[in-house]
Amino acid sequence: MAFRRRNKSYPFFSQEFLIQNHADIVFSLVIFILIGLMFEATAKTAILFIQPQYNVTTLSLEGEVTLYHYGWKDSATILFYFFIAIILHAVVQEYLLDKVNRRLHLSKSKNTKFNESGQLCVFHLVSSVWSFYIVVTEGYLLHPSSLWENYPHVHLRFQVKFFYLTQLAYWLHALPELYFQKVRKEEMPRQLQYICLYLLHICAAYLLNMTRVGLVLLFLQYVSELGFHIARLFYFTDENHQKMFDLWAVSFVFTRMATLTLMFLAVGFGLARVENQGLDLEMGNFNTLLIRMTVLLLVCFTQSWLLWKFIRFQLRRWREFRHEQAIRKKTAPKQPLRTLKRDSFGHYENGVVKAENGTSPRTKKLKSP
C-alpha cells in the first residue's frame, strides 16, 4: 500500500527513503501485529497492543459493568495507536491536503501552515465531537458536581480510557511527524511548544485521576482550536476572509475564562471539600494541598501565556491593517477639483455659457417684423 507518489527512488536505509516510505513501513508493523491475533501462541501478546488493559468487572444498578484503570501496559496500547495515527496522518495528507495544495499554488511557508491546519482541523473536529459525546453520556454536563465528587476517579469506562490513550498516541505521533514533514527550523519551536503542552496536561489529568475535569477542558480547548484552524484554512484560500478570525477571537477568550473558572471550581473548591484528603499511591489519591496548588498554577500559567500570545497576535493584525490602510491612501489617485462659476441658468466654461445638463443654451430667434 503506497501513500505517496514516488517521483524518485532513494537507496535503502537513507534519510530520504525513510521520509518517503515511513507510512508504508509503519503500516507493515501494524499488519504484523494484527497477524499475531491469528495464532494462539502470539494472541495474548498482540492483544496488549490493541485492547486497553487492566479491566475490572463490578456490580452496579445496571448489572455487571467493566471498568478500567491505568498501568504500565498502557504504553503498548499507546504505541499501537501511535502507529495508527501516523498512517491516518499520511492518508489525510495524500488524499486530501495534497490535492488541495496543487490547486491553490501556495508558497512553501504557506503550504507548511496549510498542511498543519488541515491535519489539526481533522483531529480537532473528531476529538471535539468524541469528547462532547462522552461528556453527555457520562452525565458530566447535567451534573457538574460529578467532576470532583467521589474522587479519586480510578476506574474509568472503556470510552473514557480509550479516548485518553488515543489522545496521548496522537500527540506523541506529532513529534516524529515534524521530521517526516520536513518542518522548517523556524516553525519547530512553535509546534513543539503546543505539542509538549498537550502531552503535559493530558498526562497530568490521566495519571492524577482527574480525567473528568480534563475531559471537559479538552472539549473546550478543541472547539476553540477548531475555529482557529478553520479560519486559517479559509484565509489561505482567499486572504479577504478575515471575519472568521474575529469569531475565533471571541471563542478563544470565552474558552480561557471558562477553563480558569472550571479549574478553580473543581480543583480549588471541589476537591478541597472532598473527604478523601492525603496522598495514597495505592488508592490513586493525589488530593493534597501541594498537588492541587501545582495543578492550578500549571493551568493558570498556561492560560496566561496563551492570552499573552493572543494579545500579541491581535496587535500585530491591527498594525498590519493600519499599515495597509495607510498604503492605500497614499497610492489612491487624486482628482483635481474644478471650480465653476454658476449663474441662474448654468455655468461658464471656457468663456461660453453652459446649461446645467452640459449643453450650451440655445439663442432665441428674433421674429421678423
Side-chain angles (χ1 to χ4, degrees), residues 199-227:
L199 286 173
L200 177 62
H201 286 75
I202 294 173
C203 285
Y206 187 64
L207 297 177
L208 296 178
N209 294 316
M210 298 181 183
T211 52
R212 298 182 181 181
V213 180
L215 191 64
V216 178
L217 295 181
L218 281 176
F219 166 71
L220 294 173
Q221 177 66 18
Y222 286 157
V223 171
S224 175
E225 289 298 303
L226 176 63

Side-chain angles (χ1 to χ4, degrees), residues 226-244:
L226 176 63
F228 171 74
H229 290 291
I230 290 176
R232 196 155 75 158
L233 288 177
F234 276 103
Y235 174 77
F236 287 138
T237 55
D238 186 2
E239 294 186 356
N240 294 323
H241 287 108
Q242 298 280 349
K243 294 183 178 180
M244 293 290 292

Side-chain angles (χ1 to χ4, degrees), residues 79-92:
L79 179 63
F80 178 77
Y81 290 100
F82 169 86
F83 293 152
I84 297 296
I86 292 178
I87 296 172
L88 294 178
H89 188 111
V91 171
V92 173

Side-chain angles (χ1 to χ4, degrees), residues 313-329:
F313 173 75
Q314 294 297 329
L315 289 176
R316 186 172 68 250
R317 281 188 63 205
W318 180 75
R319 291 194 191 105
E320 291 175 355
F321 176 76
R322 293 296 297 266
H323 182 66
E324 291 177 359
Q325 292 292 328
I327 293 176
R328 288 177 182 176
K329 289 181 179 179

Side-chain angles (χ1 to χ4, degrees), residues 77-132:
T77 310
I78 293 173
L79 179 63
F80 178 77
Y81 290 100
F82 169 86
F83 293 152
I84 297 296
I86 292 178
I87 296 172
L88 294 178
H89 188 111
V91 171
V92 173
Q93 185 67 40
E94 173 67 22
Y95 296 103
L96 181 62
L97 297 179
D98 285 349
K99 292 183 178 180
V100 177
N101 283 331
R102 294 189 194 100
R103 296 183 178 181
L104 295 178
H105 303 288
L106 299 174
S107 62
K108 189 174 181 180
S109 60
K110 288 185 178 180
N111 189 18
T112 302
K113 293 181 180 180
F114 182 86
N115 291 333
E116 177 193 2
S117 292
Q119 293 286 347
L120 290 176
C121 189
V122 174
F123 171 73
H124 288 319
L125 177 62
V126 174
S127 297
S128 58
V129 173
W130 190 5
S131 58
F132 179 73

